[in-house]
Amino acid sequence: MKYNSLSIVGLEKNTGKTECLKYVLDRLPVQTKRIAVTSIGIDGETVDQVTRTQKPEIVLREGMYFGTSEMHYRQRRLVSELIDVSDESTSLGRVVTARALTGGKILLSGPSSGSSLKRWMGRMGQFGIDLVIIDGALSRLSSASPAVSQSMILATGAAYSANISTLVSKTAHVVDLVNLDLTTEANMRLLSPLEHGVWFIDTDGALHDLDMLSSLSQDIRFEGMENCATLYVAGALVDSFLEKVRQNKHLRQAEIVVRDFTKIFVTPQQFKLFLKAGGRIRVLQKSKLIAVTVNPTSPSGYVLDSDTLCGKLTEAIGLPVYDLLKSKTCN
């Protein structure tokens, strides 16, 4: 397989993330590859606990490995072999790893944070797992961070916006962030160890600490940075910081670097203004977006035209777009 990990992330509840997970699981070559699956939230419920709408159940095939909480492991509807019990606890108990000896239904509720998920994935290497699939949680893209998964699928749809133009625009913005280019190898070597604060690299390649806790700091000053080549934000990148950079004549041509796209919390409007002014944003880590799926039906029952939605979204992002319930690709 080209990638050893895949995140499936919904941009909103009821955008078809679970349907996408089912579609992928049903088509994987479990006879020749070892597949493990887990969730950073809770997945496999028959009824959504927030919207009270029906949800597709997760059905594992014989031979698949899975990670879920002790509580949901006891409720499994399949025969399995216990492989591992984590020392780390979640609100639903420790994370249990097992292998399905028969096909059947399962509730997935695995590691509850990006760091614990990464540790769980690391243990999967001991069992010869070829591909780990992660079901992301509502409004949490941390599971799609390149620090966790090598590849990802985005699920979007009418639940994200009932207006096709708005839906396409908002989804395309996320895709633009995912597809940001990597910074230089020299920048990676200098910046990767820095997990906090705001820093800059001058034109001679020297690293400087700006003594800011984050881009959210109240007192942001860019004094003595006339020779700034790269501006690094270790945490979240927000609108107010990006606007101050855009307005500073010495920084307009500097490259802003963040750890990965999940650290960027800027509006499409501010993002476009920054790029239009000649600004550049790069990342230290990048994962591969391999597809986008759409669910044209909202929880309230509003239905968008699938062909129109697929066509406009494909044109906007230049990637395969799938309406899985129609079992078609929109080219």
Side-chain angles (χ1 to χ4, degrees):
M1 293 184 177
K2 191 173 182 180
Y3 306 103
N4 60 31
S5 53
L6 168 69
S7 292
I8 300 174
V9 180
L11 295 183
E12 184 56 80
K13 265 188 173 294
N14 299 108
T15 52
K17 173 174 60 67
T18 305
E19 197 66 51
C20 178
L21 175 63
K22 280 171 52 65
Y23 186 92
V24 171
L25 292 178
D26 287 346
R27 286 158 178 79
L28 289 169
V30 292
Q31 297 82 4
T32 57
K33 300 293 182 180
R34 291 192 177 188
I35 312 297
V37 59
T38 192
S39 174
I40 202 168
I42 299 176
D43 217 335
E45 302 164 299
T46 55
V47 177
D48 189 285
Q49 297 303 306
V50 177
T51 63
R52 310 308 301 173
T53 52
Q54 292 294 314
K55 293 184 62 178
E57 296 178 285
I58 301 298
V59 179
L60 298 185
R61 294 154 65 193
E62 179 183 347
M64 285 184 168
Y65 291 70
F66 61 95
T68 194
S69 66
E70 289 179 285
M71 174 181 168
H72 289 147
Y73 183 71
R74 296 189 192 101
Q75 298 173 6
R76 69 194 184 283
R77 292 162 66 183
L78 51 77
V79 179
S80 62
E81 174 189 6
L82 183 62
I83 300 295
D84 179 63
V85 180
S86 171
D87 293 332
E88 299 182 51
S89 292
T90 71
S91 59
L92 300 176
R94 294 172 295 179
V95 176
V96 174
T97 304
R99 183 170 68 93
L101 299 179
T102 65
K105 297 176 181 178
I106 186 74
L107 278 168
L108 292 176
S109 54
S112 56
S113 69
S115 57
S116 58
L117 174 60
K118 191 175 179 180
R119 286 190 289 272
W120 180 83
M121 292 173 65
R123 289 198 295 275
M124 292 305 97
Q126 302 171 18
F127 311 125
I129 300 299
D130 296 297
L131 174 66
V132 175
I133 300 177
I134 308 140
D135 190 345
L138 170 66
S139 300
R140 290 172 65 183
L141 289 170
S142 60
S143 62
S145 167
V148 175
S149 63
Q150 290 185 343
S151 61
M152 60 184 296
I153 297 174
L154 283 181
T156 188
Y160 195 36
S161 175
N163 179 279
I164 287 183
S165 295
T166 303
L167 173 57
V168 169
S169 176
K170 290 172 69 175
T171 303
H173 174 61
V174 176
V175 171
D176 284 342
L177 300 184
V178 176
N179 288 334
L180 285 172
D181 292 332
L182 290 169
T183 189
T184 64
E185 291 187 9
N187 282 350
M188 290 181 193
R189 287 192 295 270
L190 277 176
L191 302 176
S192 291
L194 307 176
E195 297 183 357
H196 305 285
V198 181
W199 306 69
F200 83 91
I201 301 172
D202 64 30
T203 51
D204 294 323
L207 181 66
H208 305 267
D209 187 352
L210 286 174
D211 293 321
M212 296 182 200
L213 291 176
S214 73
S215 71
L216 293 164
S217 298
Q218 295 295 315
D219 187 22
I220 295 178
R221 297 187 306 273
F222 296 126
E223 298 168 354
M225 295 180 60
E226 290 79 6
N227 63 340
C228 175
T230 302
L231 186 59
Y232 175 59
V233 180
L237 177 63
V238 297
D239 272 0
S240 56
F241 185 89
L242 200 62
E243 175 65 10
K244 288 183 178 180
V245 172
R246 186 173 69 87
Q247 292 180 352
N248 188 303
K249 64 180 181 181
H250 299 301
L251 299 179
R252 287 172 187 165
Q253 300 305 312
E255 176 179 290
I256 293 182
V257 175
V258 295
R259 187 157 296 277
D260 62 64
F261 84 96
T262 67
K263 302 296 186 183
I264 302 176
F265 298 89
V266 298
T267 60
Q269 294 80 7
Q270 191 64 248
F271 183 71
K272 289 175 182 176
L273 278 174
F274 182 75
L275 297 184
K276 188 175 180 179
R280 292 170 294 143
I281 302 177
R282 300 290 184 264
V283 293
L284 295 178
Q285 298 172 312
K286 179 175 180 173
S287 58
K288 177 67 174 178
L289 179 61
I290 57 178
V292 173
T293 66
V294 295
N295 176 10
T297 304
S298 73
S300 61
Y302 188 85
V303 182
L304 300 175
D305 182 81
S306 176
D307 292 338
T308 302
L309 173 58
C310 284
K312 288 183 177 296
L313 192 52
T314 298
E315 182 180 357
I317 66 176
L319 278 173
V321 177
Y322 301 86
D323 180 347
L324 297 180
L325 291 182
K326 293 182 70 174
S327 297
K328 64 176 287 185
T329 306
C330 313
N331 293 310

